[in-house]
Every structure is written in C-alpha cells, then in structure tokens.
Amino acid sequence: MLGKLIKYEFKATGRTFLPLYGAILLVALIQRFLGRSNKGVFEELNTLGNFTTLALVGLFIALVVITLIVTIQRFQKNLLSDEGYLMFTLPVKIRSLIITKMLVAVTWVILSGIVGVITFIVLFATGEFFAEVGQMFSIFIPRMMIMLQDEVGRMGLFVITQFALATFLMYIQFVVLIYLSLAIGQFPSFQKHRTAASFIAFFVINTAINWITGMTMLGSLYTGANMDPTKSLFIANIMAIIFIVVMFEGTTYILKKHLNLE
Amino acid sequence: MEPILEITHVSKTYGKKEALKDVSLKIEPGKVVGLLGPNGSGKSTLIKLINGLLQPTDGQILVAGQALGIETKKMISYLPERTYLNEWMKVKDLLGFFSDFYEDFDIEKARQMLATLKIDEDSKLKTLSKGTKEKVQLILVMSRKAKLYVLDEPIGGVDPAARDYILNTIIKNYSEESSVIIATHLIQEVENICDDIIFLGYGEVRLQGNVDDIRQEKGQSIDALFREVFRC
C-alpha cells in the first residue's frame, strides 16, 4: 500500500518538478553551446550568456522556493483539505500517509541536487575539466583524507559520513516540523486561524528544538566529554533522529485522534 | 444475521457543543436506510464517525462486528458531500486509483456507467462541471462491492434526470449482503427507495423504523412527517 501511495504522490508532484528540471537543463545547454568559449569558469560568467546565467540563477532560486511550497501544499491540500476525505478513508495506515509525503519530499530534494550537479557538468565540462576532476579524485581527496585523519584521528571517513548525515537529517527534521505544525493548525480550536496557528507552532517548536540541542551541546562540553567535533556531530545527529521520531509520532497521533476535516 | 452497522450509545462533543447525544442504532444487511435530518442535526458528524474521520467522545461503532480500522475501511464505500477527488487526475487515472486501493472495485462496471452518462475517460476532473464531477464520484463509489455504502447528499447538486439515474443506480446495486445509508434532506426524492428511515435532530435519534410501517402508523408520507417533527 505504501508503494501505491508513493506512486501517486510522485505522479502528483512530478508535474511540477520535471518541467522545472527540464527548463533548467535546457537553459544550461543553451548557455553551454551558444554562450561558451574556451575561457575559464569566472570569465565565462561575465560574457554573453549573462541572460542565460540570470535565467539559470532564477530557475534555481525558483526550484528552492517551489520545493518548499510543494512540500507544504501537498500535506495541506491532499491530507487536510477536501482530498483528505479520500485519503483518510483509504484502507491504509495513517502513518503510511505521512511517510509517503516525507519520502517523496526528500527524494525531490535529492534529485534537485543531482540536477544541480548535472547542470554544473553541462556548463563547465571539458576535457580539461575531466582531467582536473580525475586528479581531484586520485590525488587531492586522499591527501585531504590523510589531513583529516591527522586532525580527528582514525575516524576520517566517519566524520564525513556524519556531516552528510547531518545535512540529510536537518532537512528531514525541517519537513517533519512543517507537517507537525500543519497538523496542529487544523485543531478545531484554531478553526479560523489555521495558518497563524501553524506558523506559531512552527516557530515555537523550532525554537524549543534549537534550545534543547544547544543545551545538550553545552552540557556535553561541561562533562568534559570533549571538544572533539566527531562526538558533537554524532550527538547532534542522534538528537535530530530523536526529534524526527517524536515529531513524526506527534503528527500521526494528531491525525489519528484529532482529525478535523471541514 | 449480524448487523452491518451497530452504533451503541455514541456521543460526540466539541468543547461545549454536543453534536451527538447518546445515539444508538442498528442497520441490518440488505437495507436502504435514509438518514434524515435538518442541517446541523448531526448527520455529517455521524457519518464522519462511521468512516473514522472523527473519534467518538463516548460509545462504540461496529461495522460487520468489527471495530473501526483498516478492515472496516475496506468494507465501507463513502461518498462525501464534497468533491474529494484529486482535481488534476483524469477520469481514467481515478479508475486506476480506485482499482489500486480497493480490491472490491469493479472497473468494468464503472466504465459502463461512465459510458452511459457519456463521460469521457480522458477528461481531466477539473474541466468537468460540478454536476458531472458528482456523477463521477458516485460512479466510483457505487462500483465497489462494499458491505456498507454511505452516501452523504448524493443528489444534492444534480439535475432531476441525473437524480433518477443516480437513485436507480443505488437500487440496482442492492444485494442481500450490503446496505446503503443515504443522508439527505431531500426526503421526497429518496422516500420511495428507502426500506428504513432514521430521523436525526439536535444530535438525537427522534424516530427510527420501517418506512411502510411508519407511513401506515402516522398516516402521512415521510416528507410530511419530517416537516411536522422538525417544524421551525
């Protein structure tokens, strides 16, 4: 059932993202093949292609904004408005409805990142470029790893993983916070002020999360645990996971017991 | 036989407002039941409770002997009062959607009904008129072989000819194992297809019983009786 929900969620959101990706890649291609000469990267941006550069920047900004809007809108419109009458009477777990939205939202962000990388390659890839990249992988990165290991001990790879995980978790936490805020906003007591209630819930909970995380970090400092970045990052990640789980369960609970479709 | 729907001492309170007060009723299989009441009587609240969209403050609801959950959602086919379908989808996408999520969905039956009403499967829902959208919703709901059909104002925004078609569709779906609840305030129209009726007023059951019995006992049509019971 989860698979089916995910399928339809992708169908619903694909209509927005795919054309945007298409536009970005198209402009990148135009920029590359019409505006290009064999200059370096930064000179590049100053010549013809100013228009396409502007368009590209504009499109990426639009992508960020649209991603946020779609994340909020899908939850609000498909679950908490008229369509909710359909979704909440399907023979699926309420939990599955929320997981679906979250998974698809995060997937689009990952795909957007990939589109960003492809755009970069389309714009700047040449023989030299690939040679440089090849060099980077075979020489520069291992060198960096050794430097990193000197700094933080044998756990270089672990640190990098923690960093990647941290970014990932931060975004998931952000998304689940949005869902929880929207769920809180639809309580009967807030009837005429749904949007305001959701905003306030968002800021209050977000502040609480930052405060708790801050205190914990400070606390771990005092117990002399360390100035070790590895451990702090690890703790921060654990905390993020806890927050995600708590907020997710909170959202599920609210939608199970206090659903208030108009 | 086990009742298809059993509501026992159910109450629903919102803060200070009592939407439903100690409502009890049973619906046996094979019945078409009219749930009649003025606006604000608690009809929608009761329907939402049956569908799990609200939790009762008190009392219990059983569908075919089971507590409300995923299993009962499989058995109930619900037509809400509003357009609840994804507007961007085409009619044929909706057929796929219902097939995907409901094992009891009869896609051929749905296709036939759509063809009879000359609704193009390729059209996007948002391009259809309100009346046509309602017909599509109804067709989707009635094409399921459910145990309990819950129809909230199924003929409200529809022209008289379509109303007849819809009511006929409801009757044709009759099976001894399933029941239909029609919540409406258009009593005259549905009076003749209902076996039983329930009058709901101010959150309470005011009257309940077999249509013919009541008509005989009270010596008037259900419509007239309704006007009397709920006189303003």
Side-chain angles (χ1 to χ4, degrees), chain A residues 57-94:
Chain A
V57 171
L59 282 171
F60 270 109
I61 292 177
L63 186 57
V64 171
V65 173
I66 285 174
T67 301
L68 181 62
I69 292 177
V70 168
T71 303
I72 296 174
Q73 224 190 25
R74 284 306 299 163
F75 198 82
Q76 179 62 33
K77 186 163 184 281
N78 183 248
L79 295 181
L80 305 181
S81 300
D82 284 351
E83 286 179 35
Y85 281 92
L86 177 63
M87 303 310 285
F88 281 100
T89 50
L90 290 175
V92 301
K93 294 189 211 148
I94 309 265

Side-chain angles (χ1 to χ4, degrees), chain B residues 38-116:
Chain B
N39 297 328
S41 54
K43 294 198 305 288
S44 288
T45 305
L46 189 58
I47 288 176
K48 282 187 190 174
L49 285 168
I50 296 170
N51 282 292
L53 296 172
L54 281 180
Q55 305 291 315
T57 317
D58 235 325
Q60 189 192 54
I61 300 178
L62 295 176
V63 175
Q66 292 197 35
L68 297 178
I70 293 184
E71 289 310 308
T72 59
K73 285 180 184 174
K74 287 184 187 167
M75 297 191 260
I76 301 175
S77 192
Y78 172 43
L79 180 69
E81 210 182 337
R82 56 210 46 238
T83 311
Y84 70 152
L85 300 173
N86 305 308
E87 296 265 317
W88 61 269
M89 282 199 197
K90 294 186 181 171
V91 174
K92 65 178 180 198
D93 296 326
L94 288 164
L95 291 173
F97 188 89
F98 268 69
S99 295
D100 270 343
F101 286 100
Y102 294 110
E103 275 172 29
D104 59 17
F105 185 65
D106 187 343
I107 196 170
E108 281 319 309
K109 185 172 179 189
R111 288 217 154 99
Q112 265 170 33
M113 288 200 262
L114 287 167
T116 309

Side-chain angles (χ1 to χ4, degrees), chain A residues 1-20:
Chain A
M1 280 301 177
L2 186 60
K4 292 176 190 165
L5 288 171
I6 292 175
K7 171 175 100 171
Y8 283 99
E9 189 60 24
F10 271 119
K11 276 190 183 178
T13 48
R15 299 156 48 239
T16 307
F17 284 103
L18 294 178
L20 199 49

Side-chain angles (χ1 to χ4, degrees), chain A residues 143-156 159 227-230:
Chain A
R143 213 181 275 172
M144 232 182 58
M145 290 294 290
I146 295 174
M147 272 169 53
L148 193 62
Q149 255 155 295
D150 285 340
E151 287 287 314
V152 298
R154 312 184 69 234
M155 312 230 282
V159 173
M227 290 295 281
D228 181 354
T230 321

